[in-house]
C-alpha cells in the first residue's frame, strides 16, 4: 500500500469489503493485509486509521481484518526512515496540514523529530503497530510479508510474533534474532522472487511442518500481476499498486472452492 490511500480503497472495493463511505461491507469475509502500509507515499496515517476502523467494524459483523507488519513498518521502528516522503514527515507536525510543495526546511526537520518520537519503540505509533503479527496462519494459509523458512518454524511462530510485539512496545531491548535477517520473515525473497527448486523444497518443508497448504507473500513487486509458483504453494500478491510504482490494484480471493486473483479489468 505504501502510503497510497486511493490504492488502498480501490483494493478494498475490489474485495467487496467496503462501501462508498469506507465502512465495512464484507460481512463474514476475512481480509489479510501483508504489510508495508508505510513509506513512499503521503497517506500513511489515513491508511492506518482506515484499517484499524475496519478491524473493529469487521469483528462486529462476523468478519475479520488482519494487518501484518512488513519490513517498512519495522524499519520505522528502527528509525530507518530513508523511504519516508516529505508529506510523511509533515503529517506529524501539529496544527494545519502542510503542503509538501511549500514546506520549509525547518518544517521537515521538525517533522523528522516528531516522526521519530512516534515510531521509536514505545512511541504512540509504535504501540499501535505492536498489536499486529508478523506471521499469521489462517485456515490452510500462511500469510507473511517476505516468507517463512524452516528455521523460522524452528524458532517458533508464536514466539517470534510475541517477541516482536514486546520489542516494538519497548518491553524488550532488541528484536528477536531472526526477525530482521536477510532470510527472516519480512526480508526474505526466497519464495517471492523467482524461487528455484531448493527454495520450493524449503517452502514445502515449511508448509508441511505448519500443517498449511500455501503461503501468501508480498515484498517483491510482480510486474505481471498476482502470480503463483512452486506448484501453487506460494502466491505473490505485491503488484506495486501504490502510486510510487504505478501498478494496478489487485487482491487475491481465497475460498474453499478456488484461489483467484481479482483485478479491475
Amino acid at each position: 500500500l505504501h502510503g497510497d490511500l486511493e490504492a488502498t480503497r480501490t483494493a478494498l472495493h475490489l474485495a467487496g469489503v467496503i462501501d462508498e463511505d469506507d465502512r465495512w461491507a464484507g460481512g463474514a469475509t476475512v481480509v489479510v493485509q501483508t504489510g508495508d502500509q508505510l513509506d513512499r507515499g503521503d497517506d500513511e496515517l489515513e491508511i492506518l486509521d482506515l484499517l484499524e476502523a475496519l478491524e473493529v467494524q469487521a469483528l462486529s459483523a462476523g468478519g475479520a481484518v488482519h494487518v501484518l507488519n512488513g519490513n517498512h513498518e519495522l524499519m520505522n521502528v528502527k528509525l530507518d526512515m530513508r523511504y519516508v516522503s516529505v508529506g510523511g514527515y509533515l503529517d506529524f507536525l501539529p496544527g494545519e496540514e502542510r503542503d509538501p510543495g511549500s514546506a520549509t526546511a525547518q518544517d521537515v526537520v521538525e517533522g523528522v523529530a516528531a516522526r521519530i518520537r512516534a515510531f521509536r519503540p514505545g512511541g504512540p505509533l509504535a504501540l499501535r503497530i505492536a498489536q499486529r503479527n508478523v506471521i499469521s496462519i489462517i485456515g490452510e494459509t500462511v500469510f507473511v510479508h517476505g516468507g517463512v523458512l524452516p528455521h523460522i518454524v524452528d524458532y517458533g511462530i508464536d514466539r517470534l510474533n510475541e517477541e516482536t510485539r514486546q520489542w516494538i512496545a519497548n518491553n524488550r531491548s532488541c528484536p528477536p534474532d531472526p526477525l530482521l535477517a536477510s532470510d527472516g520473515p519480512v526480508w526474505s525473497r526466497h519464495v517471492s522472487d523467482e524461487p528455484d527448486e531448493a527454495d520450493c523444497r524449503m517452502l514445502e518443508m515449511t508448509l508441511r511442518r505448519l500443517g498449511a497448504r500455501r503461503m501468501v507473500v508480498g515484498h517483491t513487486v510482480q510486474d505481471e500481476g498476482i502470480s503463483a509458483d512452486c506448484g501453487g504453494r506460494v502466491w505473490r500478491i505485491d503488484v506495486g499498486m501504490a502510486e510510487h510504482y504505478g501498478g494496478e490494484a489487485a487482491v487475491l480471493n481465497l475460498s474453499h472452492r478456488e484461489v483467484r486473483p481479482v483485478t479491475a479489468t
Side-chain angles (χ1 to χ4, degrees), residues 79-255:
L79 310 185
D80 179 350
M81 299 187 178
R82 74 186 96 161
Y83 297 108
V84 178
S85 69
V86 172
Y89 290 124
L90 300 181
D91 273 350
F92 287 83
L93 296 179
E96 296 180 4
E97 182 177 342
R98 290 165 173 80
D99 179 4
S102 59
T104 67
Q106 185 61 32
D107 288 335
V108 176
V109 169
E110 292 177 3
V112 170
R115 188 178 177 110
I116 287 173
R117 290 193 295 271
F119 275 108
R120 66 189 176 191
L125 262 293
L127 291 176
R128 287 171 67 176
I129 67 173
Q131 306 303 312
R132 307 169 176 175
N133 284 340
V134 174
I135 304 165
S136 285
I137 303 173
I138 302 171
E140 298 180 307
T141 305
V142 180
F143 296 92
V144 64
H145 184 68
V148 180
L149 301 183
H151 74 281
I152 300 297
V153 182
D154 293 337
Y155 192 87
I157 304 300
D158 291 341
R159 176 187 175 190
L160 184 135
N161 281 331
E162 181 57 27
E163 289 180 354
T164 301
R165 278 192 285 271
Q166 293 301 317
W167 165 59
I168 296 174
N170 203 28
N171 296 324
R172 175 187 168 96
S173 61
C174 58
D177 288 340
L179 178 67
L180 301 177
S182 61
D183 60 356
V186 299
W187 283 106
S188 171
R189 297 188 193 272
H190 284 271
V191 295
S192 67
D193 188 12
E194 300 182 2
D196 58 21
E197 290 185 13
D199 295 324
C200 290
R201 284 196 298 271
M202 285 195 296
L203 172 63
E204 184 174 7
M205 182 185 304
T206 296
L207 294 176
R208 184 170 63 249
R209 292 179 60 186
L210 294 175
R213 186 173 181 179
R214 69 183 69 85
M215 189 176 296
V216 173
V217 301
H219 194 42
T220 303
V221 174
Q222 308 297 308
D223 292 332
E224 302 302 319
I226 291 174
S227 62
D229 212 319
C230 299
R233 292 184 179 89
V234 62
W235 283 83
R236 302 169 297 190
I237 63 169
D238 187 343
V239 295
M241 71 175 74
E243 182 180 8
H244 176 83
Y245 294 102
E248 297 295 328
V251 296
L252 183 66
N253 182 284
L254 296 168
S255 72

Side-chain angles (χ1 to χ4, degrees), residues 1 4-14 18 22 46 50:
L1 303 179
D4 189 331
L5 181 61
E6 285 310 306
T8 303
R9 286 178 170 139
T10 299
L12 293 168
H13 279 296
L14 283 175
I18 63 169
D22 289 348
E46 293 93 333
L50 172 60

Side-chain angles (χ1 to χ4, degrees), residues 3-48:
D4 189 331
L5 181 61
E6 285 310 306
T8 303
R9 286 178 170 139
T10 299
L12 293 168
H13 279 296
L14 283 175
V17 296
I18 63 169
D19 62 20
E20 294 305 316
D21 296 318
D22 289 348
R23 294 191 59 80
W24 181 257
T29 302
V30 175
V31 170
V32 183
Q33 198 282 326
T34 56
D36 281 6
Q37 304 97 48
L38 301 182
D39 291 344
R40 303 194 189 280
D42 294 346
D43 305 330
E44 301 159 296
L45 297 183
E46 293 93 333
I47 291 171
L48 296 182

